[in-house]
Amino acid sequence: MNASGEAVRAALRAFRVPLERLLVVVDDLDMPLGSLRLRPKGSPGGHNGLRSISDEICTRDFARLKCGIGRPAGGAAAVSDYVLESFSDGQLHKVTAMIEEAVGLVRLMCTQGLQRSMMACNSRAKQKQKKK
């Protein structure tokens, strides 16, 4: 079980960060590699880290930036190894681009707020879909 909620709760207290300023960045197996999704709140959806955070801070009302890593072949048994593996050389281009885009969204959220960041994330996703 991922126990990241303990660290998040401690950081919120130590730095006196209100929940509306919290942004959790997580990997997401159910999204294609390289894709991003920014949400203002939601359920853990099977993500142990999000579940731990929700349990520790007693709410699901916090922003999360989901970073798509794709799902491995081989079902549930392969997942625990997959999320800890290094990316292949073939995947690194997509991962690097995703990280750069994620950094931009985090900066935008810090300066312009969550709503503007979500609009930017959604418009980028639509542009990527048009290119396919």
Side-chain angles (χ1 to χ4, degrees):
M1 173 72 178
N2 181 323
S4 56
E6 296 170 15
V8 170
R9 182 174 41 86
L12 289 172
R13 275 197 191 133
F15 297 106
R16 297 185 177 138
V17 177
L19 284 177
E20 57 271 4
R21 298 292 297 167
L22 174 63
L23 174 64
V24 176
V25 180
V26 297
D27 57 358
D28 194 311
L29 289 161
D30 295 322
M31 293 172 50
L33 179 68
S35 61
L36 293 172
R37 185 175 299 143
L38 181 59
R39 296 286 185 252
K41 60 184 176 181
S43 73
H47 194 285
N48 290 333
L50 287 175
R51 180 178 296 111
S52 173
I53 294 167
S54 296
D55 290 348
E56 287 290 330
I57 65 174
C58 301
T59 185
R60 294 178 174 180
D61 294 344
F62 56 89
R64 67 273 323 265
L65 177 57
K66 296 181 175 188
C67 302
I69 61 169
R71 186 170 288 278
V79 168
S80 59
D81 289 334
Y82 178 75
V83 298
L84 298 175
E85 289 176 1
S86 296
F87 291 103
S88 71
D89 290 341
Q91 295 171 318
L92 282 178
H93 176 72
K94 282 186 177 183
V95 172
T96 300
M98 176 179 66
I99 291 170
E100 289 173 1
E101 187 176 345
V103 167
L105 287 170
V106 170
R107 285 185 176 139
L108 187 63
M109 183 177 163
C110 290
T111 59
Q112 304 282 325
L114 179 61
Q115 292 302 319
R116 176 156 276 148
S117 301
M118 288 186 345
M119 289 187 328
C121 187
N122 291 338
S123 67
R124 289 175 185 165
K126 286 179 186 175
Q127 288 173 354
K128 286 181 182 179
Q129 286 295 332
K130 286 181 183 179
K131 289 181 181 180
K132 288 184 178 182

